[in-house]
Amino acid sequence: MKRRLFLTLIAAATATSASMIAAPVAQAADEVKIGFLVKQPEEPWFQDEWKFAEMAAKEKGFTLVKIGAPSGEKVMSAIDNLAAQKAQGFIICTPDVKLGPGIVAKAKADKLKMMTVDDRLVDGSGKPIESVPHMGISAYNIGKQVGDGIAAEIKKRGWDMKDVGAIDVTYEQLPTAHDRTAGATDALVAAGFPKANIVAAPQAKTDTENAFNAANIALTKNPKYKHWVAYGLNDEAVLGAVRAAEGRGFKADNMIGIGIGGSDSALNEFKKPNPTGFFGTVIISPKRHGEETSELMYAWIKDGKAPPPLTLTTGMLATRDNVSQVREQMGLASK
Ligand code: FCA
């Protein structure tokens, strides 16, 4: 009798530990859960990324967990939270690229696969962390497209370049922002724009309000120009400059702003009945950055196939006249 009870207990214990081991394995096999963390959930670009990531989730049949993570603490707790929910990986646009080593360590400790989007993590010496797969925009070239577009429009309007000031809305702590505005500056200078007329307007954060404040200072300090142009890392930066210029009486006729993005911030501007100083935007692809990154993460989890280490996407210049056609060409028309 004693022996029998003992055997029963052994059998029960074995069954329990077997099921405890089997449970997570079974879940991993059929239930994929992927986090998508963005630094500025209120920005239309990130809303679009999420929307396209949702499309991937629907098509492939995984669960997408969207998390707004505007600070380092939020990122760290979000990663722990994902691990607690049994997610297997996440995609992140970090609020600060310098958090790189900390985020990598946290993901490793929580055994989560990780890929970055838009903003690439850097290590302690400011070098990109190449071990984390990344999809970003080809920042310098896209910046050049902005500068070329502005230069072409200045020439078309017949402005004398010496009478034109350029507001360069900068955000130097973010490498992709630095590369974008550097590309625009270089293209303008190559087109004959006087370097001395380019006014750096550093913004404290990458949103319209902070760009507005930065541009206002630039305008106040430089009352001599008859016309203005503006560029920055995204549409929000340029919209801030455009609004500041409007406040000083520089409207569509005397302002050429070209942004980067092509999400609702730009589209709403083009929908206004009268043109504004927001002349154009280089449309980039939230579809690739949202849908493709999610698909890559899914394949990594499901089939063990790691994403390419680095993917750089391109953009196309659009103005209010051709925005629909350009969106169509970029596969964004159905939005
Ligand atoms: C950065 C910017 C965003 C967007 C993205 C592609 O994260 O802050 O506005 O341009 O790159």
Side-chain angles (χ1 to χ4, degrees):
M1 189 64 186
K2 255 195 184 154
R3 192 180 142 80
R4 221 191 146 127
L5 178 62
F6 177 73
L7 284 177
T8 314
L9 282 174
I10 293 274
T14 314
T16 313
S17 56
S19 71
M20 271 165 67
I21 295 165
V25 173
Q27 193 201 8
D30 12 299
E31 215 187 281
V32 173
K33 198 180 261 189
I34 298 173
F36 204 119
L37 284 64
V38 303
K39 63 177 179 179
Q40 276 166 290
E42 73 290 349
E43 191 184 303
W45 165 260
F46 295 110
Q47 297 281 336
D48 282 353
E49 271 185 350
W50 271 349
K51 195 196 67 198
F52 284 108
E54 284 283 11
M55 287 183 185
K58 260 206 192 112
E59 208 214 288
K60 303 278 179 197
F62 62 84
T63 304
L64 184 78
V65 186
K66 299 182 285 188
I67 305 173
S71 68
E73 296 94 85
K74 288 262 164 63
V75 170
M76 295 305 163
S77 62
I79 298 173
D80 280 341
N81 190 277
L82 284 168
Q85 311 184 33
K86 306 245 163 16
Q88 299 92 340
F90 66 94
I91 297 144
I92 180 169
C93 178
T94 177
D96 180 353
V97 292
K98 292 202 187 72
L99 294 169
I103 297 177
V104 170
K106 173 63 85 183
K108 202 170 168 196
D110 280 339
K111 299 194 174 60
L112 291 169
K113 295 185 169 28
M114 155 168 78
M115 164 164 198
T116 51
V117 70
D118 304 334
D119 300 355
R120 198 174 188 196
L121 301 175
V122 298
D123 63 18
S125 57
K127 283 209 297 291
I129 300 183
E130 289 175 356
S131 58
V132 178
H134 177 70
M135 183 184 287
I137 67 168
S138 37
Y140 184 78
N141 282 336
I142 285 173
K144 271 176 81 179
Q145 286 171 267
V146 170
D148 286 339
I150 292 175
E153 187 60 19
I154 291 175
K155 285 178 187 162
K156 195 171 153 201
R157 295 184 186 194
W159 293 352
D160 188 336
M161 289 202 189
K162 75 174 186 341
D163 300 330
V164 187
I167 304 173
D168 172 11
V169 181
T170 59
Y171 190 69
E172 291 297 301
Q173 53 270 58
L174 180 60
T176 182
H178 168 86
D179 294 349
R180 295 175 199 189
T181 50
T185 299
D186 288 354
L188 270 180
V189 171
F193 195 86
K195 208 168 186 170
N197 294 14
I198 299 176
V199 187
Q203 58 178 169
K205 277 191 190 162
T206 58
D207 59 19
T208 300
E209 189 187 339
N210 282 279
F212 176 85
N213 295 337
N216 256 323
I217 297 170
L219 289 161
T220 308
K221 283 192 181 159
N222 295 277
K224 61 177 183 279
Y225 296 115
K226 284 195 202 151
H227 321 280
W228 281 97
V229 301
Y231 53 93
L233 97 150
N234 57 16
D235 289 331
E236 286 70 20
V238 172
L239 276 174
V242 166
R243 293 287 99 88
E246 271 165 10
R248 311 278 169 134
F250 296 93
K251 310 251 162 96
D253 284 352
N254 285 306
M255 171 59 146
I256 303 166
I258 298 189
I260 295 172
S263 296
D264 275 345
S265 308
L267 299 180
N268 292 339
E269 199 66 15
F270 292 149
K271 279 181 203 146
K272 292 182 176 170
N274 295 313
T276 69
F278 190 86
F279 177 75
T281 180
V282 175
I283 301 186
I284 51 179
S285 180
K287 183 171 161 65
R288 294 200 63 191
H289 288 229
E291 190 172 47
E292 201 174 309
T293 50
S294 302
E295 286 167 359
L296 287 169
M297 179 54 72
Y298 178 76
W300 196 4
I301 293 165
K302 196 92 179 148
D303 313 322
K305 186 175 170 272
L310 182 62
T311 307
L312 296 178
T313 60
T314 57
M316 287 175 77
L317 177 63
T319 63
R320 61 162 54 214
D321 296 335
N322 68 357
V323 63
S324 309
Q325 293 93 294
V326 175
R327 281 173 54 77
E328 179 108 40
Q329 276 184 57
M330 291 186 69
L332 301 168
S334 59
K335 195 206 146 193

